[in-house]
């Protein structure tokens, strides 16, 4: 599928499996952050919507305003972390490089890169909406 030119109807019909959609306060800023820190590809970005890919995975960003008639925003905190308890894991993403790029952009580094007993080197990075991104690579 060509994510740059697909229309909403075709995109929706193409989706299968587990889908991820993140509600964000400032969509252009979040899309830029994800692109620059994690090398994600961003397609059709607007103030309200974007398609993003990381390797073979596709997900969506929506601005809060697009959910004005939906009950979900009533559960969101006015400030602070939105994604408490959720880790968005990016396998094959160098945690040291991601932390360096995120730090340069003022992101919160919740946990610096470290080797873990489960065979991964990983870090925890919070974006401005409080979502925890976990870049990780397998240990040699």
């Amino acid at each position: 599928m060509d994510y740059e030119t697909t229309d909403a109807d075709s995109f929706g019909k193409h989706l299968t499996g587990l889908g991820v959609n993140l509600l964000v306060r400032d969509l252009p800023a979040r899309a830029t952050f994800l692109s620059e820190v994690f090398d994600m590809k961003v397609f059709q970005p607007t103030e309200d919507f974007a398609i993003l890919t990381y390797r073979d995975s596709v997900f969506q960003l929506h601005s809060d305003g697009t959910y004005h008639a939906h009950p979900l925003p009533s559960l969101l905190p006015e400030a602070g972390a939105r994604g408490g308890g959720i880790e968005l894991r990016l396998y094959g993403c160098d945690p040291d490089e991601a932390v360096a790029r995120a730090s340069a952009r003022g992101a919160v580094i919740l946990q610096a890169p470290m080797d873990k007993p489960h065979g991964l080197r990983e870090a925890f990075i919070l974006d401005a909406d409080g979502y925890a991104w976990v870049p990780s690579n397998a240990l040699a």
Side-chain angles (χ1 to χ4, degrees):
M1 166 167 280
D2 182 354
Y3 295 122
E4 196 62 64
T5 61
T6 189
D7 61 41
D9 183 60
S10 297
F11 178 67
K13 289 177 180 174
H14 173 79
L15 298 172
T16 61
L18 175 67
V20 174
N21 178 42
L22 300 178
L23 297 184
V24 297
R25 294 179 182 102
D26 182 343
L27 194 140
R30 193 63 45 247
T32 298
F33 177 83
L34 295 173
S35 172
E36 292 178 355
V37 173
F38 304 115
D39 294 324
M40 292 184 185
K41 305 291 186 259
V42 180
F43 301 93
Q44 299 191 40
T46 68
E47 293 291 319
D48 293 324
F49 174 77
I51 299 168
L52 284 89
T53 59
Y54 176 74
R55 298 185 178 231
D56 294 332
S57 299
V58 62
F59 68 98
Q60 303 167 63
L61 298 179
H62 279 87
S63 70
D64 289 347
T66 61
Y67 273 59
H68 65 279
H70 193 282
L72 185 58
S74 68
L75 301 175
L76 296 174
E78 289 296 319
R82 294 181 166 204
I86 295 173
E87 297 175 0
L88 299 160
R89 293 186 161 265
L90 303 170
Y91 301 110
C93 182
D94 186 292
D96 296 280
E97 291 177 12
V99 163
R101 292 189 295 255
S103 294
R105 288 160 182 78
V108 173
I109 308 305
L110 190 61
Q111 185 177 79
M114 61 189 320
D115 296 348
K116 299 289 186 95
H118 54 263
L120 296 173
R121 180 168 180 78
E122 61 188 28
F124 286 73
I125 301 168
L126 295 182
D127 68 20
D129 284 300
Y131 293 110
W133 297 91
V134 185
S136 60
N137 271 337
L139 294 171

